[in-house]
Every structure is written in structure tokens, then in C-alpha cells.
Amino acid sequence: DAGVIQSPRHEVTEMGQEVTLRCKPISGHNSLFWYRQTMMRGLELLIYFNNNVPIDDSGMPEDRFSAKMPNASFSTLKIQPSEPRDSAVYFCASSLRRKEKLFFGSGTQLSVL
Amino acid sequence: GESVGLHLPTLSVQEGDNSIINCAYSNSASDYFIWYKQESGKGPQFIIDIRSNMDKRQGQRVTVLLNKTVKHLSLQIAATQPGDSAVYFCAESDQTGANNLFFGTGTRLTVIP
């Protein structure tokens, strides 16, 4: 299995631009998570899906952030408009079932100038 | 929510020595604990997990100890190698909360050759 696949690996954009991060979870996993990692705040859960349905989005910073999971093999995290404070590493993770260990992707390093 | 915290932000050990990384948690309802290793530029990688009905679990060169009385978790790495240099996170979840893991702030382990 290729593991959780994220793209792009690096994204550099200017303030105000739209950013779309992509994730392909491990085949057969029912839960998908988006995390953000910064030096100041560590790993923060943004949103999680179970069977493609958003369950908890309380970690999404504000309305500029949105996430979708149109099918079991694909999810996107969108930031519109992006701001410099959104600069961070964004990780996608999946798990086989609820309360199971997460498998993380390699992350997307986002820099908003 | 309640948080997970680490006692030591950094740890340096000589190659070949044993390493012990500690983690305190505050949620008495937590029943599942995981240790992750994160190398530079990569996503967190699962190392070992333990459920609250156990107090010790061993893997290859790693042992996790759980003391529910004092809400303490530790990761022991035997014969530490340079490849063990990374940031180590503990994470916890409970059956009553949302389906996500609460991550500690991490401990950076540096192995001195």
C-alpha cells in the first residue's frame, strides 16, 4: 500500500490567493483527518470525516477554511483567501475505524507570502 | 478539552544507551495511547500503542509503559541508534470524546554518535 498520499508537497502562494490541498487516504480506511502543524501550536486537528461525512469541524480556524470528501478515496482542504498566518505544514491522516491509530501522509508545506 | 503534555522538550543520549521519553496526560477517561515518531520533513509515524487494560507493551526495541494511577506514559527505546533521532509525540483518546487523538507537544530526541 502506498500509504496516505498528499499533494502538493510544497506550496508557495501570495496572500489573498486560493490554496487547495489534496489527500488520498489508504484504501479501505473509513476515517480521514486534516491536521495543521506549527512550531507555536503543534499538531492541531482541523476536521475529520467518517465514511465521507464531516463529523467534527470545530478545529477549522475560520470560514476561509473548507474541506470536502466527495468519495472514499479523495479529500481536499481549501483556504480562500489565504493569509500569511496560514503558513504551516498540513497533514492528512486516515484510520481503518474510529478510535484506531492514524496513518499520516508526508504533509504539504504551505507558505503564504 | 484536557491536554496531553510532555515533561522534557529535548533529550540527548549517547548511541547505544537506552532512551526514556515521558508523557503526562490529564484526562482520566483516556483509554487508548499511541506513540508517534516524526523525522524532519516527514509526517508522524506510528511506533506503538497501548490500551488502558494493559500497563506494558513491547515492540521491536521499544516498550511503552502506562501508569494510570498517576496518568503517566513512557516510551523506552533500547540501544538507541542515530536513526532514532526525531521528535516523539504521545497521543491519547477516550471513548467518550470525539473521534480524534489529542497530541502532546513532542520531545526532540538527539542521539550522539
Side-chain angles (χ1 to χ4, degrees), chain B residues 69-88:
Chain B
T69 302
V70 296
K71 300 190 187 70
H72 186 267
L73 189 71
S74 69
L75 177 70
Q76 300 179 1
I77 305 173
T80 313
Q81 303 169 359
D84 295 326
S85 293
V87 176
Y88 290 80

Side-chain angles (χ1 to χ4, degrees), chain A residues 9 31 33 35 37 39 42-43 45 48-50 55-56 89 91 95 97-107, chain B residues 31-32 34 36 38 41-46 49 51 89 93-105 108:
Chain A
R9 285 283 283 130
S31 296
F33 303 76
Y35 282 86
Q37 187 176 39
M39 291 295 293
L43 269 167
L45 176 67
Y48 106 83
F49 296 82
N50 196 49
I55 302 299
D56 182 1
V89 181
F91 288 105
S95 65
R97 286 178 295 271
R98 295 190 65 191
K99 305 296 185 181
E100 295 286 335
K101 56 184 174 282
L102 304 184
F103 293 86
F104 284 81
S106 298
Chain B
D31 62 353
Y32 181 50
I34 306 177
Y36 283 91
Q38 187 176 21
K42 297 183 179 179
Q45 177 186 9
F46 170 82
D49 58 359
R51 297 196 181 273
F89 294 94
S93 71
D94 68 79
Q95 293 294 333
T96 61
N99 181 36
N100 64 58
L101 294 175
F102 293 99
F103 283 84
T105 54
R108 180 173 298 281

